[in-house]
Amino acid sequence: DQQVKQNSPSLSVQEGRISILNCDYTNSMFDYFLWYKKYPAEGPTFLISISSIKDKNEDGRFTVFLNKSAKHLSLHIVPSQPGDSAVYFCAASGSGNQFYFGTGTSLTVIP
Amino acid sequence: GAVVSQHPSRVICKSGTSVKIECRSLDFQATTMFWYRQFPKQSLMLMATSNEGSKATYEQGVEKDKFLINHASLTLSTLTVTSAHPEDSSFYICSALPLGFLSPLHFGNGTRLTVT
């Protein structure tokens, strides 16, 4: 059973606009959430994370929002740049060392 | 930042041979490392969790005798694909979890294995 879901397999956004990537989870015990960016033939790169005690974390152009009641998190990228084109994975973790990944959303930023 | 080195990045081997992939955390210690496999246009599939000094925990459907994992130190885990077959051709990625509360996983750059 997929505990972390990314329902949009792909997203296209115009350069300069906002990219919003969404992620849903089912396990209310998750307390740590992360976003990763992945280029083809490379390993994922950690982007930003948020703990369950917060509802927003910002790092430069990247902001992660967490809605615990809805079990939903999102990654906002603004302004979007062509170099942001990649596959984005969300992940969640609870007690213990297990991380659960979504299936990824392929973002294309159109120049 | 935390760096995970995975080696080799690309390997081609003949069917029936074994291949070892190394995963090293260069600037941090990791009691736990994970091994993933990624098929084309698909998500990361967790194969096993490697704990320093103990046996790896394999996910359902992953053959532990085929994919041997050794985590001999806090900075090194190895995955050996034994008696490789063409269907083992894939992109293998390791990740390492630093010690400490709320630490993100850090990934290696992956190994492209092609079995001919």
Side-chain angles (χ1 to χ4, degrees):
Chain A
D1 185 31
Q2 193 78 18
Q3 297 193 55
V4 178
K5 298 179 183 179
Q6 292 175 258
N7 292 318
S8 297
S10 62
L11 174 69
S12 290
V13 171
Q14 206 72 34
E15 180 179 5
R17 308 293 286 267
I18 185 170
S19 294
I20 300 176
L21 298 111
N22 293 303
C23 180
D24 297 295
Y25 61 95
T26 58
N27 191 336
S28 58
M29 299 303 290
F30 288 150
D31 58 8
Y32 184 46
F33 305 88
L34 311 92
W35 283 95
Y36 287 84
K37 175 181 180 179
K38 186 182 182 303
Y39 293 117
E42 292 186 12
T45 302
F46 170 68
L47 270 180
I48 192 169
S49 65
I50 188 168
S51 76
S52 59
I53 61 173
K54 293 186 173 182
D55 53 21
K56 176 182 174 182
N57 189 25
E58 188 173 352
D59 184 1
R61 296 186 299 113
F62 301 92
T63 303
V64 56
F65 294 92
L66 176 63
N67 183 333
K68 289 185 289 294
S69 60
K71 295 192 182 68
H72 178 84
L73 67 153
S74 61
L75 175 68
H76 293 207
I77 307 172
V78 57
S80 301
Q81 300 173 353
D84 296 330
S85 297
V87 177
Y88 289 79
F89 291 96
C90 66
S93 177
S95 59
N97 287 338
Q98 287 299 321
F99 287 75
Y100 298 87
F101 283 83
T103 50
T105 296
S106 178
L107 173 66
T108 301
V109 179
I110 304 165
Chain B
V3 177
V4 175
S5 173
Q6 186 172 341
H7 180 80
S9 58
R10 186 180 295 269
V11 58
I12 300 172
C13 70
K14 292 189 175 180
S15 189
T17 61
S18 295
V19 173
K20 180 186 281 190
I21 303 169
E22 289 190 351
C23 181
R24 293 181 184 272
S25 56
L26 296 186
D27 50 1
F28 65 94
Q29 293 183 326
T31 54
T32 305
M33 291 186 175
F34 302 90
W35 287 94
Y36 297 83
R37 183 172 178 176
Q38 184 178 33
F39 296 96
K41 296 186 178 180
Q42 292 191 24
S43 182
L44 304 167
M45 185 194 83
L46 178 65
M47 298 174 65
T49 301
S50 168
N51 294 299
E52 186 264 337
S54 63
K55 290 184 179 180
T57 303
Y58 289 82
E59 296 299 303
Q60 192 172 11
V62 178
E63 298 176 60
K64 62 181 180 181
D65 295 329
K66 180 165 190 62
F67 298 100
L68 299 179
I69 291 172
N70 183 279
H71 193 155
S73 76
L74 287 173
T75 58
L76 173 64
S77 176
T78 60
L79 168 69
T80 302
V81 184
T82 63
S83 187
H85 290 284
E87 57 265 30
D88 298 324
S89 298
S90 192
F91 190 60
Y92 293 87
I93 311 174
C94 72
S95 68
L97 182 63
L99 302 177
F101 183 62
L102 293 183
S103 296
L105 278 180
H106 295 281
F107 286 83
N109 259 338
T111 297
R112 169 66 62 191
L113 170 64
T114 303
V115 185
T116 61

